[in-house]
Amino acid sequence: MAVLKQAKDASRRWVIRQMVKLLPRLTMDNMETMISLGQKLLKNPEYIQTAESLKQYIRERHPAVKVVEKVLYDLSPEARFRTIYNLFIKGLLYGTTYREEIAEDLGFRPPLFFVISPTMRCNLKCYGCYSGEYEQAYGLGTELLDRIFTDAEELGMAFITVSGGEPFIRKDLLDLFENHKEMMFQVYTNGTLIDEEMAKRLAKMGNVAPMISVEGFEEITDGRRGQGHFKKIMKAMDYLREEGVLFGASVCQTRKNYLEVSSEEFADLMAEKGVFLIWHFQYIPIGREPDMSLMLTPEMRDTIRRRLRYIRNNWPFFICDFWNDGPYVDGCIAGGREYFHINANGDVEPCVFVHFAVDNIKEKSLKEALNSDFFKDIRAHQPWSDNPLCPCMIIDNPHCLRDMVKRHRPVPTHVGAEKIVNELAPYLDEYAQNYHQIAHKAWNEEYAEEYGRYL
């Protein structure tokens, strides 16, 4: 067995060397060769088929391929190298197979990535932001963050999302990211601290991808974040694009902006600014005083799902609609199935929006926290629904979250977190029931044939 493992490792190292050699002269013309090499690092048939589909997209020049072209031709040399090597070769290709193999020893497969909030401090105070519910004095020290990142690398994770608060308020983070140069860091930011000097440094580092929060156009963005904010983040995007930094946008969908952020006009603006991807999140009623008037109705949620599917297939950037894209990831990915969250106090939460924890990373290794009974039980019960359009244990299957909290008695990670499982239960149950009816129809009409099953 040891000899066989050594042979496999040697073969993978050879493949990776060939891919790295190809990187400097990589173009769309030889991209299929790169993907075929990458397939040799995979053993999961589903991932191999996904790679085949990507090759087909390239042959057909599908709009999604424009994102690949932007990576090849618009990024700085280091950003181009780190995006392809850190994220795709080390994280998605080699990392996927490595995580599957070490699962035999660990008893679980480490997730693809996780979200970490080094600080909850922020230079803004926006309505509806969950981060404002945490104690602002909380923060994870530089040495602790370094240990967590090292733990992650040892578990085959090369992609980390950094949230907050405002991460760039921490002056030590860029040095820390630079010290972990073979990891890719996606940073959710309000964008106000990104100037020309920071953009130049990020271009030289190559392994940091800012995701700038935007609410729509100027009026609604400034209405939530302050007068003049929209112009500031448009300028920040200009700096990043001009320096060749991989960057994107982050959108919080509410009743006030859901049509605006899913419009063709907004898509045109984002394409003009040069974003590579847009992350869409629904407003979730969490925190001390959740504002139910911001939460999308089931009908609104279905509307934005359909509109964003259209945008995705016709504009030159990638869109992830966090709740509505359940079909593409087979439902909920929380609890360490593919991701989890470490908050600024070190509490290890199943999800950025599930503010309960049984472990703290200051007292446990990453491996121990991922293997808690709480997380194992969550993974054992996923997916929560037969319909992947209803993936969430907070808003789609709220009885599931209540059951997990009752069984494991995790600690609420801030004052008021428990409202999601008691005071708001009647509202969420009604919401879930109404949305399931809409999602049932949508699945059978739009997805069932592709996935080979009707509900």
Side-chain angles (χ1 to χ4, degrees):
M1 290 293 290
V3 173
L4 181 60
K5 184 180 184 304
Q6 289 175 357
K8 285 182 179 179
D9 290 344
S11 176
R12 288 172 187 156
R13 286 195 296 270
W14 180 88
V15 171
I16 291 172
R17 283 198 300 271
Q18 301 313 304
M19 296 178 79
V20 171
K21 286 180 182 178
L22 183 59
L23 269 177
R25 60 181 191 279
L26 186 62
T27 66
M28 291 305 297
D29 292 332
N30 57 14
M31 178 58 74
E32 281 194 55
T33 301
M34 174 66 89
I35 296 171
S36 295
L37 281 168
Q39 285 176 295
K40 297 180 185 297
L41 296 174
L42 298 169
K43 66 178 185 179
N44 187 310
E46 291 185 16
Y47 294 125
I48 294 172
Q49 183 54 49
T50 299
E52 283 297 324
S53 299
L54 181 55
K55 288 194 285 190
Q56 185 64 29
Y57 280 167
I58 290 171
R59 295 185 199 111
E60 297 172 354
R61 284 299 191 262
H62 186 278
V65 172
K66 292 179 181 177
V67 179
V68 180
E69 292 177 341
K70 283 161 62 70
V71 169
L72 292 180
Y73 305 128
D74 294 352
L75 292 181
S76 71
E78 191 63 17
R80 180 177 183 266
F81 178 85
R82 290 297 163 195
T83 299
I84 298 173
Y85 177 75
N86 292 15
L87 183 57
F88 292 100
I89 297 177
K90 191 170 180 232
L92 292 175
L93 296 174
Y94 172 73
T96 295
T97 297
Y98 178 74
R99 290 190 301 275
E100 288 176 345
E101 290 179 349
I102 65 174
E104 298 173 9
D105 296 325
L106 295 180
F108 69 95
R109 187 189 69 178
L112 172 64
F113 75 105
F114 63 95
V115 181
I116 191 165
S117 299
T119 180
M120 301 316 289
R121 290 186 294 124
C122 186
N123 56 336
L124 301 179
K125 189 172 180 60
C126 309
Y127 67 76
C129 177
Y130 75 84
S131 71
E133 306 304 336
Y134 288 97
E135 172 57 53
Q136 300 297 291
Y138 287 169
L140 304 176
T142 305
E143 290 185 7
L144 177 59
L145 289 169
D146 185 57
R147 191 262 285 176
I148 294 169
F149 296 163
T150 301
D151 281 356
E153 285 187 280
E154 291 174 353
L155 291 174
M157 289 182 272
F159 176 48
I160 295 177
T161 293
V162 183
S163 188
E166 170 50 49
F168 288 132
I169 214 166
R170 287 274 300 262
K171 302 301 183 184
D172 58 333
L173 287 185
L174 288 182
D175 289 339
L176 193 56
F177 299 157
E178 207 162 21
N179 290 338
H180 290 269
K181 64 180 181 180
E182 292 198 356
M183 303 190 84
M184 196 73 187
F185 295 93
Q186 175 179 255
V187 180
Y188 286 111
T189 173
N190 62 42
T192 58
L193 302 180
I194 298 175
D195 55 15
E196 188 174 8
E197 182 181 353
M198 178 179 282
K200 288 181 182 296
R201 181 174 180 186
L202 294 177
K204 290 179 181 178
M205 291 171 62
N207 67 332
V208 179
M211 300 293 134
I212 298 176
S213 296
V214 59
E215 313 304 324
F217 293 110
E218 187 167 9
E219 182 179 354
I220 198 164
T221 296
D222 284 2
R224 185 182 185 205
R225 296 180 176 270
Q227 191 68 30
H229 184 86
F230 183 79
K231 286 186 172 63
K232 288 180 183 178
I233 63 173
M234 291 298 104
K235 190 62 178 175
M237 289 183 178
D238 291 340
Y239 288 138
L240 295 169
R241 183 188 67 252
E242 290 162 6
E243 295 300 330
V245 177
L246 179 74
F247 76 99
S250 172
V251 173
C252 178
Q253 306 164 356
T254 71
R255 294 186 196 182
K256 296 181 178 181
N257 73 349
Y258 79 103
L259 291 177
E260 190 164 297
V261 296
S262 61
S263 68
E264 295 184 24
E265 293 78 10
F266 184 73
D268 286 340
L269 173 64
M270 293 295 98
E272 176 189 331
K273 286 297 172 181
V275 303
F276 287 75
L277 66 162
I278 304 177
W279 290 93
H280 277 261
F281 302 89
Q282 294 180 50
Y283 172 78
I284 299 297
I286 52 179
R288 289 190 184 92
E289 300 297 334
D291 186 348
M292 307 309 293
S293 71
L294 293 175
M295 186 177 176
L296 298 182
T297 66
E299 293 78 12
M300 290 174 180
R301 177 173 168 185
D302 188 59
T303 295
I304 200 170
R305 176 191 62 79
R306 287 184 280 106
R307 288 163 68 102
L308 290 180
R309 287 191 83 193
Y310 172 72
I311 297 295
R312 175 185 287 149
N313 288 323
N314 291 280
W315 269 261
F317 45 72
F318 174 75
I319 286 180
C320 178
D321 188 359
F322 204 72
W323 276 262
N324 290 328
D325 281 350
Y328 306 115
V329 293
D330 195 24
C332 174
I333 63 173
R337 177 179 161 242
E338 289 296 357
Y339 112 110
F340 61 97
H341 177 230
I342 301 174
N343 72 21
N345 190 44
D347 301 312
V348 185
E349 300 169 332
C351 170
V352 168
F353 300 95
V354 176
H355 296 168
F356 295 91
V358 297
D359 287 318
N360 190 290
I361 201 65
K362 297 172 186 174
E363 302 159 356
K364 299 280 185 74
S365 68
L366 206 53
K367 185 189 304 182
E368 290 171 321
L370 284 167
N371 208 26
S372 71
D373 289 341
F374 184 36
F375 275 28
K376 284 194 292 186
D377 205 12
I378 288 174
R379 294 194 292 266
H381 284 83
Q382 293 164 327
W384 308 109
S385 168
D386 291 335
N387 187 347
L389 288 173
C390 303
C392 183
M393 62 175 164
I394 310 171
I395 60 174
D396 298 329
N397 309 282
H399 63 286
C400 296
L401 176 58
R402 294 196 294 268
D403 184 51
M404 289 293 150
V405 170
K406 182 178 179 181
R407 286 162 63 167
H408 297 279
R409 306 223 177 256
V411 176
T413 55
H414 65 78
V415 175
E418 65 281 355
K419 286 185 178 182
I420 200 79
V421 295
N422 48 49
E423 290 183 29
L424 297 181
Y427 178 91
L428 292 175
D429 285 342
E430 182 180 4
Y431 170 94
Q433 182 178 1
N434 293 336
Y435 180 67
H436 270 264
Q437 294 176 13
I438 294 172
H440 187 283
K441 183 173 183 291
W443 175 267
N444 285 335
E445 292 180 353
E446 301 179 45
Y447 298 85
E449 185 175 352
E450 179 183 352
Y451 287 84
R453 63 181 178 89
Y454 288 82
L455 298 173

